[in-house]
Amino acid sequence: MGVFDIDQDKLAAARDRLLAEIAANARETANWTGRSQFSDAVMAAMAKVPRHEFVRREDIVAAYVNRPQSIGHGQTISQPYIVALMTNLLDLNASRRVLEIGTGSGYQTAVLAELGGKVFSLECVDKLAGPARKRLAGMGYDNVEVQTGDGFDGWPEQGPFDAIIVTAAPERIPDALVEQLAPGGRMIIPLGRVHETQFLTLVTKDTDGRVSEQNMLPVAFVPMVRGPMVRRIG
Ligand code: SAH
């Protein structure tokens, strides 16, 4: 099947359905997240980024189902509603510097890039980082940098960051990420042990540098892996 054989009307209809579901999910989880509605900018980014271009060829029709999907190398592209929620909780604007840990397919990266600002994304699996970098550049996102690296170290050369988003789950908040969060900054991160309930957690640093944490929502992310594992997977 060539790229021109995709039924664009079907994709557009599926995308509209997905946006309605995301809005409904936001209302249903408002007690947990404190947000019954996502911003217009976030919903516009969700509408614009072509999710089917971030999944494997055989998964294109499923790209707009509100579920996570496999992207190979034992990794997944997150559920659209979770991508929207995490993006919304960062309260981004065009002057923000954003650090993302776990580029994966680059889908979340593209949604962040749509909101302006500058996005720095780290991925520990080289075979995912390369294709994601190419895909994002090919789609015209020139406010994105993707690098192979270990998210536990963050990206000190480019910090501090106004926002940090982590899309793999460590057990505890990595110290380097707290250090690289700017005063007034916001970090959204899933925390928990493998095979146990993880909690999406909002970490904020006030202008005096005081850090506080707020549990949001039970979630299921792939584990964030440390250095030695990085090499074995790659
Ligand atoms: N945001 C991605 C989904 C990522 S799945 C998307 O939209 O497609 C989590 C990703 O985190 C995986 O690609 C995994 O390889 C990566 N990852 C796990 N541990 C990491 C670490 N220590 N540093 C950087 N990336 C890591």
Side-chain angles (χ1 to χ4, degrees), residues 111-192:
V111 172
L112 295 167
E114 283 291 340
L115 295 167
K118 175 105 195 178
V119 184
F120 299 89
S121 188
L122 283 177
E123 168 57 55
C124 65
V125 179
D126 203 35
K127 285 184 180 140
L128 289 172
R133 184 185 303 115
K134 262 193 224 125
R135 181 179 296 135
L136 290 162
M139 295 172 83
Y141 292 109
D142 53 11
N143 56 340
V144 169
E145 274 185 46
V146 177
Q147 191 170 286
T148 305
D150 186 349
F152 281 101
D153 300 330
W155 198 333
E157 299 80 10
Q158 298 290 357
F161 301 97
D162 306 299
I164 299 180
I165 177 170
V166 184
T167 66
E171 288 184 19
R172 296 187 310 112
I173 306 170
D175 291 338
L177 299 186
V178 176
E179 275 158 34
Q180 290 166 37
L181 189 63
R186 298 165 74 82
M187 168 165 29
I188 186 83
I189 180 169
L191 294 174

Side-chain angles (χ1 to χ4, degrees), residues 75-76 102-105 108 123-125 128 149-151 167 222 224-225:
Q75 303 301 338
T76 52
T103 318
S105 67
Q108 170 79 72
E123 168 57 55
C124 65
V125 179
L128 289 172
D150 186 349
T167 66
V222 299
M224 187 162 160
V225 290

